[in-house]
Amino acid sequence: MEILTYAFFITFLAMTFRMATPVLLGTLGEAFAERSGVLNLGIEGTMLMGASTGFIVTYFIGDLWLGIFAAAFIGMAMGLLMAFLSVTLGAQQHVAGLGITFLGTGLSFFLYRLFVAPAGGVPPTIVPFRPIEIPGLSGIPVLGPTIFTQPALVYLALILVPIVGFIFYRTTLGLNLTAVGQNPKAADTAGINVFRTRYLCLLIAGALAGIAGAWFSMAQSSQFLPGMTMGRGWVCVALVIFANWSPYRILGGALLFGGIDALQTTFAALGVAFPYRILQMFPYIFTIVILVAVARRATYPAALLQPYRREG
Amino acid sequence: GTGVYIATRPAAPIEPAAIKIGFPISTVIEEPWIGAIYTALVRAENELGITFDWSDDIGYADLPAVIREWATEYDIVITDSFGCEEAARIAARDFPDTQFVFGSGLGPVEPNVAVFDDWIHEPAYISGMIAGKLTETNIIGVVGGVPVPEVNRLINAFKAGALETNPDVKMKIVFLGEWFNPPIAKEKALAQIEAGADVMYAERYGVHEAALEKLATEDKAIPLFGNLLDQYELAPALVVTGPVWDMWPTVNYVIESHIQRDGESFAMDLAEWTMARKGGSKLAPWHDWETRLDSRIVAKMQAEDIINMVETRWAKILDGTFRVDIDEAVPVSD
Amino acid sequence: MVRRSPVVIKMVGITKKFPGVIANNKINFDVRKGEIHALLGENGAGKTTLMNILYGLYRPDAGEIYIRGKKVTIRSPNDAIGHKVGMIHQHFTLVPPFTVTQNIILGLKFPKGVLKVGLAEKRVTELSEKYGLKVEPRAQVWQLSVGEQQRVEILKALYRGAEILILDEPTSVLTPGEVRDMFKTLRSLAKAGTSTVFISHKLDEVMEISDKVTVLRDGKFVATKKTSTTNKRELARLMVKREVIFRLKKPKAKLGKPALETKKVSALSDRKLLALKEISLSVREGEILGVAGVAGNGQRELAEVIAGIRKATGGKVIVKGKDMTNRSPSEIVEAGVGRIPEDRIDMGLIMDLSVKENLVMETLRDFSDHAVLFFPKGVFLNHSAIDKYADKLISEFKVITPSRDAPSKTLSGGNLQRLILARVLTRNPKILVASEPTRGLDVGATEYIRRKLLEQKKRGAAILLISEDLEEILTLSDRIAVMYEGRIMGIVPARKAKIEKIGLMMAGTPLNKIGR
Amino acid sequence: MRFPLKNLSRGLKAKLPKLKVEKRPYPSLRTKILWPVLSILIALGIGAILIAAAGVNPLTGYYHLFHGALGDAHAISETLWRFTPLLLTGTAVALAFRCKFWNIGVEGQMLTGATVATFFGVSFIGTSSWLLIPLVIISGFLAGALWAVIPAILKAKFKVDEVVTTLLGNWIILYFVAYLVEGPWRNPTSLWPESPAIAGSAVFPRLVPLYRVHIGFIIAIFFAILFFIILRKTVWGFQIKATGANPRAASFMGIKVTRVLITVAILSGGIAGIAGVSELCGTHFHMKGLGFFGGTGELSWGYGYAGIFIAMLGGLNAIGVPVAAFFMAVMIQGSRAMYRATGVPSPFYYAMQGTILVCLLLGIFLTYYRIRKVKG
Ligand SMILES: Nc1ncnc2c1ncn2[C@@H]1O[C@H](COP(=O)(O)OP(=O)(O)OP(=O)(O)O)[C@@H](O)[C@H]1O
Ligand SMILES: Nc1ncnc2c1ncn2[C@@H]1O[C@H](COP(=O)(O)OP(=O)(O)OP(=O)(O)O)[C@@H](O)[C@H]1O
Ligand SMILES: [Mg+2]
Ligand SMILES: [Mg+2]
């Protein structure tokens, strides 16, 4: 089998970026949540809500960006719920997050059934995001057909990396939210509204997770199916630790994960004789290995998992 | 339990309108295999006046219990029992007066379990023949669901058909390992297209989208072959045809037998009713192919005189002079 | 000058209730411009609460606040900062992984929300030079000493243009030398017009630095005095409403064999830095060895190594002649060591468990000594024995609790400490390691606990007393060891101990370098 | 000129009563029962909206729900049959959560247990039930325990967050199981990917002929009682509670927290493994591959995740967990019956599960905090 060819390499590289995109979006969002001290295990359910809402809106209105907007919006609604549970009520973050995921998993399918009734024939589809060539850049060898010929959401995810980096390291918001996640009492004393900051971060996390979910139904395919995010939300939870909560490392982690995923997908598609089920295990095993490797160096936000409540 | 067995036979023959069919299914109604049965039941409802209820997403763990529940309420219970063959049969045994029709890989059971499956390898073979003619790179891609016999025999038949018309064809075959994963199916199809496949057999959803994307962005026209249902709507410019499963003859036959036997149950393998000769399997309709399909595909089809080839061969299949072999081994890429 | 300057803060009739206590009861409190105003009172008198209200951390249940003559509502620290009020908490509110500058600009507005770190660093340097608050703007806060961290806190307030500075027990974490430096800073700030509220229990300091003193007792306002017209004795009486026993009588005890020895013990801190450097100590039966020093100089690590919850990286811990280095906590308890940890709430007790469960925690084996069915000893708990035991201890140590089954978190601070004492002392330990046994407790509880410690000594226990409270060390110990940066600076008999000498040692001068 | 929105909102705020959250130091038993029950009622109310959205009268819907779960012997048997794995996974999770070992991997541990049990169940055909049933149970226990103890060791030794490792473990074993049943273990006589049937002597006997409740039910009850005894009566249970409440303090007071963590992981994973065995030997009789949507195993069907919900709903409490598991069994069985009777889409149950959990968190909050109106 012609593995080590230029064409294969291009296919693999281009797919890497696509496989990385939802994980990148979700993990960037998770970084917001966790940096502010909230572990958001609701990301998988939020993604599914994004996938279903984005699809439904696009299906009826026919505008992709409106669909993305709706996915982000529903993601924010899920983030709001998460914030209400974990910030206002101070519930166990693990449990609140799992609750959100349960809810999102069920509700996404429920809504789809409600609005897009099953016909028993071919499933309804939309015209999804298609690759866009960036003028001038798409001609560059290797990079052109891989990075610069992708659906808009890939560009969105990539552009978000430096933007998020800028927010985290160069703005008051970034300083504030990091402080809130490290020492909420100190942040409060310094005049930062801990609650508002955490709400904001969870809203951002929700919006990004919603868009990440929409990727599956609106770019990587053209239909919605229950559970179609395939556990990518959980991967985000692992990657953010791997990346030490830094957006640039998140990019690296997402590409690494996407790369492994793409490698197993391309191998399988080209008929390389290796049990594909074993290949499917790789990204998860790999993530655990990486976690073990970085665990001692991981500098968790000190207030992660701790609800903040002002006494008195 | 079904209550008391009534020994006296009703004087009047059974009215179709009095027949209640239950259709509980383990998977979801969106699944194309289920969709084919559903479509036939809707037709039976419209044309014969039977009533039917369906319920999906039951799962194989629950299906036997649901079979028990539905057995007392319905005259005929149609279901898919692949994942719980034994348990489903044990459940059916307790209700000898209810007619069961299982989508199953195993045989029928006296007195009341009839079985069916999608035996659409014949149109799959023909589709393969077309594909063999249409490919220029001599590479055909296949994205399949799970390598189970009913999938394997389609892909193998498709491959045999392609090899007949084009002995140089190489097949790239990949399985998703799932029945539903359009995003990954699309990526796998894209990888095959990048690796030279210029004709695709879309056993599963997602492949259409890959081809549509290639058409939209690179103006590449990749002929597609659907599966199970008439899928031309998914990509009118690209879906040439594909094996289609028509459950109507089977459903019709089961209802007729039920009436003829005065409601007494029977056991048989309904396989022949899903094959070409009884109209249970066919090629998806052409739907004005000359206008809807991409002009390049049309040109190629006209040049190769595809329609003629298909019609000749189909006639041979119908009159029994051509047989498509059934090969259920897991197909592998060349 | 003081009298003429205008009132900048006026708090009238402030009341604040917490479940079970009235922390502030109709308190009136005024501060003038440029004044250093001490706020004095026992533990729990309500000083911190009153200032937290001024700083917007708590909302008062009743009362009014006027700043510079205008009535204000302070909903949050942000509002307080807007009124140019700055507060330095007793427990610092810094973000450890941030740099000094990042901590200082935290919460400030920047144009378009984009940080200008370089500019901020320059201003920090200017300010720190102006007021003699030496810090490195780019250092990460977790690497700083406690004194430096306090300077960061003060700079933080000044950077925000604070004209009213609240310092909650600022000196409790400082060496005598650092205290002097800080007073210098406070005076220069006052000269520049900054008003300071200075909270302390320490009468000497109050007399030295303040212009005025307000005394609180049990959440109520007692009096405001001009410092120049009052004295220590009067203030002490106002604080506690009775004559204070400044010294307990130390009982004589027969000195026995060395019971607890450390030989060149070294250990790492949580941050993996060397926190203990070859500590050698020896405590004899019937003796209290006090360990003095400013917090964070290795006292905690020392107690934890002996208690068996921190690994010694070198050296030996010897208990009654037996090497017990790096043994498990249960083995160490078994060997007769009683441990009163510094952190009652997070270490000494499990707040979610009941009073009785906390009482038997260290001796589960004694309460599982019966076989049930075919299960051997040590599997099932003997609940009736536990109940009896708990009732006995509760009455013996006068622990006030709704019931033996009440969660410990419902107990007051003093009772929590009694609970620990009951658990530890009832076993008559041969050796006792007590860290900050009276921290945060009021006079009654403090006296009770100190008496108990002296009783144990009389009984013949060897006691290692670790405390930041120098007065406590002087009151109880027979010998005093001073720790600085993980080393023992020297050991002196309590009788001969001079405060100045100990102060020098606390600031890092070894005993042998101190002249007579 | 700017619209004085700020003033407007200030003015509004002044008009509205101010609310204050305060802790109830001692919630009474009444409060402790009232709020969870009330929150479930609220959840059922939201559920009614979902049912109505599907065009069904909520009362009819709920009638079918409860009738379908408890209406006759068959329904009760089905509910108890479903209760069996739910009680096991709920207990497994509750035990782990009690010592703050956040075991999200019960789903995977179930599969591991079932996988190893399949190996023995298929290999030892012809062995007597008296030998084979204990063998599959013990082997399933050990396998589940192994799958849980790895994250526990990683947590203890390398400080790797167990939430993530247990979760990823679910996916690893899921694909491994798929590999086995599609490849080396594939049943040659079955068309669907599954292992050969386990020996008849490994099949869990039914409690009542024709009804699906099997001895797994007894085993589940056994572990629920064991959980109760451990927590209330044993030294180990005491250590688990102490470690969960404050590991630092527990270790200070001589409890070997690492040992407690590891042993808890073993029992938790073991019980989860038995849940898998029970599903294998009581329900499926073949090891199954991926579920239809690929996210869970056909055999475990999300019971492991439901266990988390049950443990929380039951307050991690030895009495609450069985009650919650039963409630859950009724909800699943009933909502499926309702769907079949009325056509309310089947995902209703999942949406309901999330809704209940969310409402329950609110209920827990209101148990321990009170919201009071304050003046001025
Ligand atoms: N957040 C709180 N919740 C409940 N009670 C509190 C809280 N803060 C303080 N209290 C109680 O209010 C009273 C006054 O406490 P406060 O902290 O103001 O005293 P203080 O004068 O600062 O004492 P110390 O000298 O120990 O610092 C005490 O009885 C204390 O237990
Ligand atoms: N949330 C709370 N609930 C009940 N009591 C509290 C609470 N917070 C503080 N306290 C009590 O209020 C008193 C004062 O608390 P504070 O935080 O000022 O510590 P402190 O006693 O001043 O500490 P230190 O001994 O270091 O001076 C202590 O007795 C403490 O136990
Ligand atoms: Mg105080
Ligand atoms: Mg104090």
Side-chain angles (χ1 to χ4, degrees), chain B residues 210-233:
Chain B
L212 281 173
E213 183 174 305
K214 286 291 170 197
L215 181 65
T217 57
E218 293 173 27
D219 198 28
K220 238 186 211 173
I222 293 170
L224 294 179
F225 293 85
N227 198 34
L228 282 164
L229 299 177
D230 178 6
Q231 294 175 343
Y232 91 101
E233 284 169 54

Side-chain angles (χ1 to χ4, degrees), chain A residues 170-240:
Chain A
R170 295 269 178 276
T171 67
T172 50
L173 174 64
L175 196 66
N176 292 358
L177 70 91
T178 311
V180 164
Q182 288 289 351
N183 187 347
K185 190 154 185 220
D188 193 1
T189 324
I192 298 164
N193 188 329
V194 174
F195 299 92
R196 204 184 292 161
T197 307
R198 287 190 171 169
Y199 262 83
L200 179 67
C201 287
L202 283 168
L203 287 179
I204 295 173
L208 289 179
I211 299 174
W215 162 265
F216 292 98
S217 62
M218 296 175 59
Q220 209 171 21
S221 81
S222 52
Q223 56 197 201
F224 172 78
L225 282 167
M228 77 186 309
T229 50
M230 300 296 306
R232 290 298 181 265
W234 305 121
V235 171
C236 297
V237 175
L239 269 190
V240 76

Side-chain angles (χ1 to χ4, degrees), chain C residues 83-98:
Chain C
H83 294 300
K84 298 196 185 299
V85 176
M87 181 161 177
I88 287 93
H89 285 83
Q90 188 179 347
H91 307 287
F92 296 148
T93 51
L94 297 172
V95 182
F98 280 12

